[in-house]
Amino acid sequence: MAKPDNREDNPARIQNAIDNTMANLNEAEEYLDEHADEISAVDKESIESKNARRKESINGFIAEKQDETNAQE
């Protein structure tokens, strides 16, 4: 028998994902600020690319959280 779909905690789980992604983004930006002159151009580009994807993910999480919140109302 399949478990019932319990989505009550989805907004909280999505917020947790937003918080974690923001923390990783901020940590990477701080690292670049402090060590940009010490790392290779390839590594710098890699970190910048990851941060761009993190920003896209955050925007997606925010939209998903809004959808979940609206669905619960």
Side-chain angles (χ1 to χ4, degrees):
M1 178 180 244
K3 289 184 173 182
D5 186 18
N6 183 355
R7 300 170 66 162
E8 290 180 14
D9 67 340
N10 280 1
R13 288 187 314 109
I14 295 168
Q15 184 61 51
N16 187 39
I18 292 169
D19 294 343
N20 289 338
T21 305
M22 286 290 296
N24 289 338
L25 174 71
N26 291 335
E27 184 177 335
E29 287 179 346
E30 288 174 9
Y31 181 83
L32 280 178
D33 288 344
E34 293 176 17
H35 303 286
D37 56 337
E38 301 169 6
I39 61 175
S40 71
V42 172
D43 288 341
K44 183 177 177 182
E45 177 65 30
S46 175
I47 293 169
E48 290 171 345
S49 294
K50 285 181 184 180
N51 279 352
R53 290 190 302 274
R54 286 177 176 132
K55 289 175 184 176
E56 290 175 12
S57 294
I58 290 167
N59 290 333
F61 286 141
I62 291 169
E64 184 178 355
K65 182 180 174 188
Q66 186 63 45
D67 289 345
E68 288 293 330
T69 303
N70 290 342
Q72 289 183 356
E73 293 175 351

